[in-house]
Amino acid sequence: MNGLPPHIAQVICGHKNIDTTMGYKAVYPAETIEAHRAFIARRRATRPSEEYRTPTEQEWDAFLSHFEKRKVSIGTCGRAFSTPCVHEHACVRCALLRPDPAQRARIEEIRDNLVARIAEAEREGWLGEVEGLKVSLAGAEDKLAQVDRRTRDRSTVDLGIPTARGDQ
Ligand code: SF4
């Protein structure tokens, strides 16, 4: 970046191929480094070092209890510390809920109940409710799909026990 010819930089760095040397130029362009430094400077200006103090006992307890309070009947709420519930505790619709596979039956029950309520609302002409119930139904189905994905991803494949060639 200070004008040294790349082929000299290649020799100094001990690279066999000039592409390797030029790769560093591509990966670490001066503009990127400068932009990162400016970002750090801005961040330090907005978060002065005195904010990074040791928390008090009370603050630490509040932090820990936040995680305990995130447990809900069908999983765990993933909202950030010290933030309120943004969806009025409609967890089945909420993207922040991480559903618990152990609660699959409960989520199924919620899904079936929503299907029945949609049918009833349509039958009775309560069309104002149908739309909202359908959003909840889509949420419940999405949670079930998430549970199934997690269960599938965790399932193990039995590869058998390796044997020495002479044992076969
Ligand atoms: S609705 Fe969302 S943010 Fe609110 S408690 Fe449930 S999972 Fe958390």
Side-chain angles (χ1 to χ4, degrees), residues 38-51:
F39 167 76
I40 296 289
R42 277 198 307 278
R43 195 185 151 124
R44 284 187 180 147
T46 51
R47 294 292 308 273
S49 57
E50 53 272 20
E51 286 190 16

Side-chain angles (χ1 to χ4, degrees), residues 89-117:
H89 299 277
C91 303
V92 80
R93 298 171 165 209
C94 180
L96 295 173
L97 178 86
R98 191 165 168 78
D100 179 359
Q103 298 303 328
R104 195 184 194 291
R106 186 186 286 263
I107 303 171
E108 263 179 34
E109 202 179 308
I110 292 170
R111 189 258 330 263
D112 295 346
N113 180 266
L114 285 164
V115 170
R117 285 175 62 195

Side-chain angles (χ1 to χ4, degrees), residues 69-70 72 75-80 83-98 143:
K69 285 182 192 160
R70 289 190 320 167
V72 294
T76 307
C77 167
R79 72 179 188 269
T83 57
C85 167
V86 286
H87 294 129
E88 298 173 347
H89 299 277
C91 303
V92 80
R93 298 171 165 209
C94 180
L96 295 173
L97 178 86
R98 191 165 168 78
K143 300 300 173 224

Side-chain angles (χ1 to χ4, degrees), residues 53-63:
R53 57 177 174 71
T54 306
T56 62
E57 285 297 316
Q58 207 177 9
E59 287 167 336
W60 186 243
D61 287 346
F63 178 69

Side-chain angles (χ1 to χ4, degrees), residues 7-18:
H7 67 280
I8 306 280
Q10 176 194 353
V11 173
I12 293 171
C13 294
H15 296 153
K16 277 190 186 158
N17 191 322
I18 187 104

Side-chain angles (χ1 to χ4, degrees), residues 28-45:
Y28 299 114
E31 302 79 22
T32 307
I33 295 171
E34 285 311 315
H36 180 66
R37 282 186 180 147
F39 167 76
I40 296 289
R42 277 198 307 278
R43 195 185 151 124
R44 284 187 180 147

